[in-house]
PDB file of all heavy atoms in Angstrom:
ATOM      1  N   HIS A  17      27.184   3.503  -3.262  1.00 96.00           N
ATOM      2  CA  HIS A  17      28.224   2.544  -2.775  1.00 96.00           C
ATOM      3  C   HIS A  17      27.836   1.618  -1.610  1.00 96.00           C
ATOM      4  O   HIS A  17      28.535   0.757  -1.265  1.00 96.00           O
ATOM      5  CB  HIS A  17      29.607   3.258  -2.547  1.00 96.00           C
ATOM      6  CG  HIS A  17      29.632   4.029  -1.280  1.00 96.00           C
ATOM      7  ND1 HIS A  17      30.359   3.721  -0.261  1.00 96.00           N
ATOM      8  CD2 HIS A  17      28.862   5.063  -0.957  1.00 96.00           C
ATOM      9  CE1 HIS A  17      30.172   4.522   0.756  1.00 96.00           C
ATOM     10  NE2 HIS A  17      29.330   5.432   0.269  1.00 96.00           N
ATOM     11  N   ASP A  18      26.683   1.946  -1.027  1.00 98.00           N
ATOM     12  CA  ASP A  18      26.210   1.172   0.167  1.00 98.00           C
ATOM     13  C   ASP A  18      25.450   0.051  -0.322  1.00 98.00           C
ATOM     14  O   ASP A  18      24.352   0.008  -0.873  1.00 98.00           O
ATOM     15  CB  ASP A  18      25.214   2.226   0.963  1.00 98.00           C
ATOM     16  CG  ASP A  18      24.720   1.494   2.205  1.00 98.00           C
ATOM     17  OD1 ASP A  18      24.526   0.309   2.233  1.00 98.00           O
ATOM     18  OD2 ASP A  18      24.500   2.271   3.179  1.00 98.00           O
ATOM     19  N   GLN A  19      26.083  -1.112  -0.019  1.00 98.00           N
ATOM     20  CA  GLN A  19      25.575  -2.464  -0.568  1.00 98.00           C
ATOM     21  C   GLN A  19      24.153  -2.811   0.047  1.00 98.00           C
ATOM     22  O   GLN A  19      23.375  -3.368  -0.758  1.00 98.00           O
ATOM     23  CB  GLN A  19      26.488  -3.617  -0.234  1.00 98.00           C
ATOM     24  CG  GLN A  19      27.695  -3.689  -1.166  1.00 98.00           C
ATOM     25  CD  GLN A  19      27.241  -3.694  -2.639  1.00 98.00           C
ATOM     26  OE1 GLN A  19      26.297  -4.371  -2.991  1.00 98.00           O
ATOM     27  NE2 GLN A  19      28.102  -3.052  -3.461  1.00 98.00           N
ATOM     28  N   ARG A  20      23.886  -2.336   1.308  1.00 98.00           N
ATOM     29  CA  ARG A  20      22.526  -2.678   1.796  1.00 98.00           C
ATOM     30  C   ARG A  20      21.511  -1.861   1.016  1.00 98.00           C
ATOM     31  O   ARG A  20      20.481  -2.440   0.820  1.00 98.00           O
ATOM     32  CB  ARG A  20      22.557  -2.310   3.262  1.00 98.00           C
ATOM     33  CG  ARG A  20      23.066  -3.426   4.297  1.00 98.00           C
ATOM     34  CD  ARG A  20      23.170  -2.886   5.608  1.00 98.00           C
ATOM     35  NE  ARG A  20      23.618  -1.500   5.524  1.00 98.00           N
ATOM     36  CZ  ARG A  20      23.213  -0.495   6.459  1.00 98.00           C
ATOM     37  NH1 ARG A  20      22.505  -0.911   7.385  1.00 98.00           N
ATOM     38  NH2 ARG A  20      23.762   0.688   6.353  1.00 98.00           N
ATOM     39  N   ILE A  21      21.809  -0.709   0.691  1.00 98.00           N
ATOM     40  CA  ILE A  21      20.758  -0.021  -0.102  1.00 98.00           C
ATOM     41  C   ILE A  21      20.719  -0.455  -1.471  1.00 98.00           C
ATOM     42  O   ILE A  21      19.579  -0.640  -1.959  1.00 98.00           O
ATOM     43  CB  ILE A  21      21.224   1.628  -0.141  1.00 98.00           C
ATOM     44  CG1 ILE A  21      21.254   2.202   1.215  1.00 98.00           C
ATOM     45  CG2 ILE A  21      20.361   2.432  -1.117  1.00 98.00           C
ATOM     46  CD1 ILE A  21      19.994   2.423   1.881  1.00 98.00           C
ATOM     47  N   ILE A  22      21.683  -0.852  -2.069  1.00 98.00           N
ATOM     48  CA  ILE A  22      21.687  -1.433  -3.463  1.00 98.00           C
ATOM     49  C   ILE A  22      20.903  -2.741  -3.361  1.00 98.00           C
ATOM     50  O   ILE A  22      19.976  -3.005  -4.200  1.00 98.00           O
ATOM     51  CB  ILE A  22      23.132  -1.665  -3.988  1.00 98.00           C
ATOM     52  CG1 ILE A  22      23.800  -0.373  -4.151  1.00 98.00           C
ATOM     53  CG2 ILE A  22      23.115  -2.459  -5.277  1.00 98.00           C
ATOM     54  CD1 ILE A  22      25.377  -0.441  -4.537  1.00 98.00           C
ATOM     55  N   ASP A  23      21.118  -3.549  -2.351  1.00 98.00           N
ATOM     56  CA  ASP A  23      20.271  -4.769  -2.122  1.00 98.00           C
ATOM     57  C   ASP A  23      18.849  -4.439  -2.030  1.00 98.00           C
ATOM     58  O   ASP A  23      17.950  -5.126  -2.723  1.00 98.00           O
ATOM     59  CB  ASP A  23      20.639  -5.578  -0.875  1.00 98.00           C
ATOM     60  CG  ASP A  23      21.988  -6.216  -1.049  1.00 98.00           C
ATOM     61  OD1 ASP A  23      22.495  -6.389  -2.137  1.00 98.00           O
ATOM     62  OD2 ASP A  23      22.608  -6.646   0.037  1.00 98.00           O
ATOM     63  N   ARG A  24      18.434  -3.378  -1.294  1.00 98.00           N
ATOM     64  CA  ARG A  24      17.049  -3.085  -1.228  1.00 98.00           C
ATOM     65  C   ARG A  24      16.469  -2.608  -2.439  1.00 98.00           C
ATOM     66  O   ARG A  24      15.202  -2.890  -2.723  1.00 98.00           O
ATOM     67  CB  ARG A  24      16.924  -1.954  -0.053  1.00 98.00           C
ATOM     68  CG  ARG A  24      16.908  -2.443   1.337  1.00 98.00           C
ATOM     69  CD  ARG A  24      16.640  -1.360   2.399  1.00 98.00           C
ATOM     70  NE  ARG A  24      15.259  -1.126   2.545  1.00 98.00           N
ATOM     71  CZ  ARG A  24      14.689  -0.316   3.346  1.00 98.00           C
ATOM     72  NH1 ARG A  24      15.435   0.583   4.034  1.00 98.00           N
ATOM     73  NH2 ARG A  24      13.393  -0.191   3.461  1.00 98.00           N
ATOM     74  N   ILE A  25      17.127  -1.779  -3.242  1.00 98.00           N
ATOM     75  CA  ILE A  25      16.601  -1.417  -4.502  1.00 98.00           C
ATOM     76  C   ILE A  25      16.405  -2.530  -5.419  1.00 98.00           C
ATOM     77  O   ILE A  25      15.389  -2.725  -6.047  1.00 98.00           O
ATOM     78  CB  ILE A  25      17.665  -0.224  -5.076  1.00 98.00           C
ATOM     79  CG1 ILE A  25      17.686   0.961  -4.262  1.00 98.00           C
ATOM     80  CG2 ILE A  25      17.212   0.073  -6.582  1.00 98.00           C
ATOM     81  CD1 ILE A  25      18.832   1.918  -4.657  1.00 98.00           C
ATOM     82  N   ILE A  26      17.406  -3.470  -5.440  1.00 98.00           N
ATOM     83  CA  ILE A  26      17.230  -4.664  -6.349  1.00 98.00           C
ATOM     84  C   ILE A  26      16.119  -5.494  -5.876  1.00 98.00           C
ATOM     85  O   ILE A  26      15.346  -6.016  -6.756  1.00 98.00           O
ATOM     86  CB  ILE A  26      18.637  -5.450  -6.470  1.00 98.00           C
ATOM     87  CG1 ILE A  26      19.683  -4.563  -7.043  1.00 98.00           C
ATOM     88  CG2 ILE A  26      18.460  -6.682  -7.213  1.00 98.00           C
ATOM     89  CD1 ILE A  26      19.472  -4.137  -8.405  1.00 98.00           C
ATOM     90  N   ASP A  27      15.908  -5.654  -4.573  1.00 98.00           N
ATOM     91  CA  ASP A  27      14.773  -6.317  -4.050  1.00 98.00           C
ATOM     92  C   ASP A  27      13.511  -5.734  -4.406  1.00 98.00           C
ATOM     93  O   ASP A  27      12.576  -6.378  -4.792  1.00 98.00           O
ATOM     94  CB  ASP A  27      14.798  -6.479  -2.512  1.00 98.00           C
ATOM     95  CG  ASP A  27      15.798  -7.466  -2.003  1.00 98.00           C
ATOM     96  OD1 ASP A  27      16.323  -8.252  -2.901  1.00 98.00           O
ATOM     97  OD2 ASP A  27      16.024  -7.524  -0.794  1.00 98.00           O
ATOM     98  N   ALA A  28      13.529  -4.362  -4.463  1.00 98.00           N
ATOM     99  CA  ALA A  28      12.215  -3.667  -4.834  1.00 98.00           C
ATOM    100  C   ALA A  28      11.978  -3.774  -6.183  1.00 98.00           C
ATOM    101  O   ALA A  28      10.752  -3.931  -6.637  1.00 98.00           O
ATOM    102  CB  ALA A  28      12.403  -2.113  -4.381  1.00 98.00           C
ATOM    103  N   VAL A  29      12.940  -3.852  -7.046  1.00 98.00           N
ATOM    104  CA  VAL A  29      12.778  -4.075  -8.493  1.00 98.00           C
ATOM    105  C   VAL A  29      12.328  -5.428  -8.834  1.00 98.00           C
ATOM    106  O   VAL A  29      11.431  -5.743  -9.579  1.00 98.00           O
ATOM    107  CB  VAL A  29      14.086  -3.758  -9.377  1.00 98.00           C
ATOM    108  CG1 VAL A  29      13.896  -3.976 -10.769  1.00 98.00           C
ATOM    109  CG2 VAL A  29      14.510  -2.354  -9.148  1.00 98.00           C
ATOM    110  N   ASN A  30      12.929  -6.462  -8.038  1.00 98.00           N
ATOM    111  CA  ASN A  30      12.739  -7.798  -8.318  1.00 98.00           C
ATOM    112  C   ASN A  30      12.682  -8.260  -9.774  1.00 98.00           C
ATOM    113  O   ASN A  30      11.636  -8.589 -10.269  1.00 98.00           O
ATOM    114  CB  ASN A  30      11.410  -8.092  -7.554  1.00 98.00           C
ATOM    115  CG  ASN A  30      11.250  -9.562  -7.475  1.00 98.00           C
ATOM    116  OD1 ASN A  30      12.157 -10.365  -7.599  1.00 98.00           O
ATOM    117  ND2 ASN A  30       9.967 -10.121  -7.274  1.00 98.00           N
ATOM    118  N   PRO A  31      13.769  -8.056 -10.526  1.00 98.00           N
ATOM    119  CA  PRO A  31      13.724  -8.297 -11.855  1.00 98.00           C
ATOM    120  C   PRO A  31      13.510  -9.757 -12.260  1.00 98.00           C
ATOM    121  O   PRO A  31      13.916 -10.749 -11.501  1.00 98.00           O
ATOM    122  CB  PRO A  31      15.248  -7.952 -12.446  1.00 98.00           C
ATOM    123  CG  PRO A  31      15.998  -8.139 -11.129  1.00 98.00           C
ATOM    124  CD  PRO A  31      15.149  -7.725 -10.006  1.00 98.00           C
ATOM    125  N   GLY A  32      12.661 -10.006 -13.246  1.00 97.00           N
ATOM    126  CA  GLY A  32      12.308 -11.410 -13.658  1.00 97.00           C
ATOM    127  C   GLY A  32      12.927 -11.653 -15.012  1.00 97.00           C
ATOM    128  O   GLY A  32      13.260 -10.816 -15.747  1.00 97.00           O
ATOM    129  N   GLU A  33      13.092 -13.035 -15.292  1.00 97.00           N
ATOM    130  CA  GLU A  33      13.733 -13.552 -16.491  1.00 97.00           C
ATOM    131  C   GLU A  33      13.084 -12.951 -17.768  1.00 97.00           C
ATOM    132  O   GLU A  33      13.751 -12.835 -18.784  1.00 97.00           O
ATOM    133  CB  GLU A  33      13.679 -15.044 -16.477  1.00 97.00           C
ATOM    134  CG  GLU A  33      14.380 -15.739 -15.371  1.00 97.00           C
ATOM    135  CD  GLU A  33      15.831 -15.587 -15.429  1.00 97.00           C
ATOM    136  OE1 GLU A  33      16.439 -15.847 -16.397  1.00 97.00           O
ATOM    137  OE2 GLU A  33      16.366 -15.198 -14.417  1.00 97.00           O
ATOM    138  N   GLU A  34      11.839 -12.641 -17.713  1.00 97.00           N
ATOM    139  CA  GLU A  34      11.123 -12.187 -18.976  1.00 97.00           C
ATOM    140  C   GLU A  34      11.091 -10.710 -19.125  1.00 97.00           C
ATOM    141  O   GLU A  34      10.409 -10.157 -20.023  1.00 97.00           O
ATOM    142  CB  GLU A  34       9.701 -12.778 -19.015  1.00 97.00           C
ATOM    143  CG  GLU A  34       9.600 -14.282 -19.107  1.00 97.00           C
ATOM    144  CD  GLU A  34      10.314 -14.788 -20.308  1.00 97.00           C
ATOM    145  OE1 GLU A  34      10.077 -14.249 -21.460  1.00 97.00           O
ATOM    146  OE2 GLU A  34      11.208 -15.726 -20.169  1.00 97.00           O
ATOM    147  N   ASP A  35      11.599  -9.988 -18.117  1.00 98.00           N
ATOM    148  CA  ASP A  35      11.504  -8.483 -18.037  1.00 98.00           C
ATOM    149  C   ASP A  35      12.473  -7.799 -19.038  1.00 98.00           C
ATOM    150  O   ASP A  35      13.519  -8.175 -19.228  1.00 98.00           O
ATOM    151  CB  ASP A  35      11.827  -7.970 -16.716  1.00 98.00           C
ATOM    152  CG  ASP A  35      10.711  -8.182 -15.700  1.00 98.00           C
ATOM    153  OD1 ASP A  35       9.684  -8.683 -16.041  1.00 98.00           O
ATOM    154  OD2 ASP A  35      11.100  -8.045 -14.407  1.00 98.00           O
ATOM    155  N   TYR A  36      11.870  -6.875 -19.715  1.00 98.00           N
ATOM    156  CA  TYR A  36      12.614  -5.841 -20.472  1.00 98.00           C
ATOM    157  C   TYR A  36      12.882  -4.590 -19.658  1.00 98.00           C
ATOM    158  O   TYR A  36      11.932  -3.916 -19.302  1.00 98.00           O
ATOM    159  CB  TYR A  36      11.836  -5.445 -21.811  1.00 98.00           C
ATOM    160  CG  TYR A  36      11.866  -6.571 -22.864  1.00 98.00           C
ATOM    161  CD1 TYR A  36      10.938  -7.575 -22.733  1.00 98.00           C
ATOM    162  CD2 TYR A  36      12.768  -6.592 -23.742  1.00 98.00           C
ATOM    163  CE1 TYR A  36      10.877  -8.563 -23.586  1.00 98.00           C
ATOM    164  CE2 TYR A  36      12.721  -7.659 -24.682  1.00 98.00           C
ATOM    165  CZ  TYR A  36      11.807  -8.702 -24.615  1.00 98.00           C
ATOM    166  OH  TYR A  36      11.779  -9.640 -25.548  1.00 98.00           O
ATOM    167  N   LEU A  37      14.123  -4.411 -19.229  1.00 98.00           N
ATOM    168  CA  LEU A  37      14.476  -3.303 -18.356  1.00 98.00           C
ATOM    169  C   LEU A  37      15.190  -2.234 -19.034  1.00 98.00           C
ATOM    170  O   LEU A  37      15.946  -2.374 -20.004  1.00 98.00           O
ATOM    171  CB  LEU A  37      15.432  -3.819 -17.232  1.00 98.00           C
ATOM    172  CG  LEU A  37      15.037  -5.029 -16.357  1.00 98.00           C
ATOM    173  CD1 LEU A  37      16.077  -5.312 -15.414  1.00 98.00           C
ATOM    174  CD2 LEU A  37      13.689  -4.872 -15.670  1.00 98.00           C
ATOM    175  N   ILE A  38      14.961  -0.987 -18.510  1.00 98.00           N
ATOM    176  CA  ILE A  38      15.709   0.232 -19.107  1.00 98.00           C
ATOM    177  C   ILE A  38      16.256   0.913 -17.863  1.00 98.00           C
ATOM    178  O   ILE A  38      15.484   1.268 -16.908  1.00 98.00           O
ATOM    179  CB  ILE A  38      14.653   1.205 -19.782  1.00 98.00           C
ATOM    180  CG1 ILE A  38      13.926   0.494 -20.935  1.00 98.00           C
ATOM    181  CG2 ILE A  38      15.401   2.382 -20.226  1.00 98.00           C
ATOM    182  CD1 ILE A  38      12.816   1.436 -21.530  1.00 98.00           C
TER     183      ILE A  38
END
Side-chain angles (χ1 to χ4, degrees):
H17 73 111
D18 182 326
Q19 280 308 320
R20 278 172 318 150
I21 297 289
I22 295 170
D23 287 346
R24 281 188 82 181
I25 296 172
I26 299 297
D27 280 353
V29 176
N30 192 18
E33 298 291 308
E34 294 303 313
D35 287 346
Y36 286 85
L37 306 181
I38 302 172

